[in-house]
Structure formats: C-alpha cells, structure tokens
C-alpha cells in the first residue's frame, strides 16, 4: 500500500529536503575533479601548491578514467534507469517524492558527466 505522505505534497515544503540539497551541492562544489577548492585558490599565489594541485588532479583524472573504462557502461545504464524511473514516477504519475528525488539526482548526474569529460580531457591533453 502506498503511504499517504508520498502523495500529500510535502517533499518540497520539507526543511530536510532543502538541507539535503544545500549539503549535496556544498559537497559537490568543494572538490572539483577531486582537488580541494581552497588548494585551487592558493595555487594562484604559491607555485609549490600549484604543483601539488596538478599532481592531485592527474591522480584523480586517472582514477576516474579507470573507473569509466571498467564499470562505466553498467553504471551509466543503472543510473539512467534510475533517473528514468524517477522521472516517470514523478512527472508521469505525479509522485512528489519521486519528483524531489529527480530534482536532486539529475543535476548531480550532469555534474558527474561533466567531471568525467574533464578527466578524459585532462588525460588526453595533459592539461594543467
């Protein structure tokens, strides 16, 4: 049986939804390509920090490219299925919890795709 709160329209009005949204975006924005943002800011001023940032970025790019090559296809299929399921349940059947889940996960998936593309470009071009 479907629980009553699923269809009652409380997901987007919940303070916990917005706290989760803020926490997720704060975590995502703090480590672009796996390098802490404060190190990126210090790298402009200090050359030794810039070398460490390059080193960390290349390690992370290699790690992400390795993951993409080994489990990329199945992971993309599973994530795509999950997003499609949330979209159909949320926007096709009007389940607001699924809409809230889609609103949280779809932008995160786009950030993940952009991060993987950046990692592939960093490996290909040896970007600094």
């Amino acid at each position: 049986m479907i629980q009553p709160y699923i269809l009652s329209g409380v997901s987007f009005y919940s303070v916990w939804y917005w706290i989760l949204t803020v926490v997720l975006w704060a975590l995502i924005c703090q480590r672009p390509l796996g390098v802490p943002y404060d190190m990126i800011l210090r790298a402009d001023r200090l050359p030794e920090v810039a070398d460490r940032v390059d080193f960390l970025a290349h390690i992370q790019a290699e790690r992400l490219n390795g993951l993409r090559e080994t489990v990329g296809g199945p992971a993309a299929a599973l994530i795509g299925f999950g997003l499609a399921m949330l979209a159909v349940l949320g926007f096709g059947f009007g389940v607001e919890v699924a809409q809230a889940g889609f609103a949280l996960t779809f932008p995160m998936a786009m950030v993940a795709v952009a991060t993987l593309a950046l990692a592939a470009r960093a490996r290909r071009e040896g970007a600094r």
Side-chain angles (χ1 to χ4, degrees), residues 58-72:
H58 282 286
I59 288 174
Q60 187 69 8
E62 286 297 320
R63 182 180 157 271
L64 289 173
N65 283 315
L67 283 172
R68 184 179 49 89
E69 291 168 357
T70 56
V71 296

Side-chain angles (χ1 to χ4, degrees), residues 67-92:
L67 283 172
R68 184 179 49 89
E69 291 168 357
T70 56
V71 296
L78 187 63
I79 291 168
F81 175 77
L83 286 172
M85 182 182 66
L86 285 174
V88 168
L89 284 174
F91 302 109

Side-chain angles (χ1 to χ4, degrees), residues 30 33 67 102 114 117:
Q30 279 298 92
L33 197 56
L67 283 172
F102 184 82

Side-chain angles (χ1 to χ4, degrees), residues 13-95:
Y13 297 112
S14 171
V15 69
W16 295 110
Y17 173 80
W18 295 107
I19 289 173
L20 181 62
T21 302
V22 168
V23 168
L24 283 175
W25 279 109
L27 290 173
I28 293 289
C29 294
Q30 279 298 92
R31 297 180 72 86
L33 197 56
V35 179
Y37 188 69
D38 62 307
M39 286 186 73
I40 294 172
L41 292 177
R42 284 186 291 145
D44 288 338
R45 294 175 286 139
L46 304 168
E48 63 274 1
V49 175
D51 292 337
R52 282 186 244 146
V53 166
D54 283 341
F55 183 68
L56 284 173
H58 282 286
I59 288 174
Q60 187 69 8
E62 286 297 320
R63 182 180 157 271
L64 289 173
N65 283 315
L67 283 172
R68 184 179 49 89
E69 291 168 357
T70 56
V71 296
L78 187 63
I79 291 168
F81 175 77
L83 286 172
M85 182 182 66
L86 285 174
V88 168
L89 284 174
F91 302 109
F93 292 108
V95 179

